[in-house]
Every structure is written in C-alpha cells, then in structure tokens.
Amino acid sequence: GFTLIELLVVISVITTLAAVLLPTFAQARSSAQRTACLSQLRQLGQAWALYASDCDDHVVPSYYPSGSSEVAWDFTDGTQPGLLFPYCKENRLWRCPSFKGRTWGRLYTGYSYNATYVGGDYWANKPPASLSVIANPSGTALFADGGYGQPVMGQNYLRAPSDPLYMAGTVHFRHLESACVTWTDLHATSQNQIYRRMTPLTGALSADDTLYDLQ
C-alpha cells in the first residue's frame, strides 16, 4: 500500500500537471472550433454563390420586409428558414461552435452578412450587389463572425466602419482573439487584427471600408 505522504505527493503531482495541461487542452479545443467555423463559413459562401447563380448573378439580399414579416438571408421572422436555407440545409452550418451570446429570440447564432455593400439594406435604399460589380472578390468580406456590445450579443448584418449602424454590426474576434471571415471569392481566413474597437473583442476588419467595399 501507499503511505499518506506518498498519496499526497501523487495528488500534488497530478494537480500540478492538470494546472499545466488544462490551458493547453482549452487552447486546442478553441483551435478546433475555429477550424470548424472556417469550414462552415466557407460552405455558407458556397450557398451564397449558388443563390446568385440561380438569380442571374444577383446576390441574396440581406433582408426585406414582406407584410409584417422580415425575410432575411438566414431566417424569416427569426425562426423560419431564410433565403439561403434551400442551399445549405444542415443546421450545424448556422451555428458557430464558439458563440454563446444572446440572440434576442432570433435563430442566428453568430454569423453576419455584409449588408453595407454586398447584401444591401432595404431601409437605406441600397439594393443587393450583382457579382459583376465586385471588383476585388478576394478583398471583400462576405460573411464573418458577428457580435456587438458588452457582453457580446449576436447580430447577423455585418456593417462597414462608415455605416451609421456600424456599432451594432461589428466583427466578433472570438476564436483565440481572431475572427473567421469568408470573402466573396469564397476563400475563408482567420483575421486577428482588430480595428475601430468597440469592446475588447469586437471591432472592424479594417480601419476604413477597404475590406468591406466592392473596389
């Protein structure tokens, strides 16, 4: 058998190892979630491209009113399938594995769509773009990890820094202080430089509209 001192030594060693290894395990888990998020955003981008292909190269609108309902790219009235749903019916694609914030009764779960330049804004009289006017597809953000406020809450419309609604349409850098982004050429990246901070982990992809506009 073990003596009491030997047991205490073993417990002490285990405690020390746990203290050393737990942060490593947590970082590995966060890294895996970031990889999954990048994959999901890339698939949302492919759904966006399929929608445009079916609509004479006009991209999916961010939203538009229909009677008393709001029809949006992700959900209608917050709970029913949205415009992109026929092109990506897997429920997991709509849920960022790292997003835990409040969603105000809407089923969006942390992903936002470039409403300032790409998807358009109905109430601001900005129509959705067509593929032909996107001059720099690899440098125009399409979808990103979205969130605003403190604590961070979900939002589904990505806003450029010049947009009057920017403060409610910021990027959430929640994956090890980086954010997953899909661009209009459908490649996905992890961005870790935060501009125009609103909270410690929310802000913009660029200091101006460079990574949002169509130029």
Side-chain angles (χ1 to χ4, degrees), residues 20-140:
V20 171
L21 294 177
L22 281 178
T24 302
F25 291 150
Q27 186 172 16
R29 181 172 180 269
S30 296
S31 180
Q33 289 175 332
R34 179 174 59 190
T35 299
C37 184
L38 282 168
S39 175
Q40 291 174 196
L41 281 175
R42 192 178 296 112
Q43 290 178 71
L44 284 179
Q46 292 169 349
W48 172 87
L50 288 172
Y51 179 100
S53 177
D54 284 348
C55 296
D56 295 324
D57 287 346
H58 286 84
V59 306
V60 63
S62 300
Y63 71 95
Y64 59 83
S66 177
S68 60
S69 301
E70 179 188 83
V71 180
W73 69 272
D74 54 352
F75 293 101
T76 298
D77 277 352
T79 59
Q80 301 303 311
L83 296 169
L84 282 189
F85 190 80
Y87 301 91
C88 52
K89 294 183 179 180
E90 292 185 67
N91 288 334
R92 65 179 180 83
L93 296 183
W94 305 95
R95 179 176 299 279
C96 173
S98 295
F99 181 69
K100 309 298 181 185
R102 184 178 179 183
T103 60
W104 298 100
R106 192 180 181 103
L107 292 182
Y108 58 74
T109 49
Y111 292 142
S112 57
Y113 175 41
N114 186 343
T116 302
Y117 288 99
V118 179
D121 191 329
Y122 180 89
W123 295 116
N125 292 318
K126 292 182 178 180
S130 64
L131 296 181
S132 62
V133 302
I134 303 175
N136 183 20
S138 64
T140 301

Side-chain angles (χ1 to χ4, degrees), residues 135-184:
N136 183 20
S138 64
T140 301
L142 181 59
F143 296 105
D145 287 319
Y148 75 103
Q150 186 70 7
V152 178
M153 296 173 284
Q155 56 86 2
N156 62 334
Y157 301 129
L158 183 64
R159 304 286 182 171
S162 69
D163 194 310
L165 297 176
Y166 165 69
M167 66 181 298
T170 49
V171 178
H172 185 194
F173 294 78
R174 56 175 166 259
H175 296 286
L176 299 173
E177 300 190 11
S178 66
C180 297
V181 183
T182 298
W183 307 86
T184 56

Side-chain angles (χ1 to χ4, degrees), residues 8-25:
L8 290 174
V9 169
V10 170
I11 292 172
S12 176
V13 170
I14 292 173
T15 302
T16 301
L17 288 174
V20 171
L21 294 177
L22 281 178
T24 302
F25 291 150

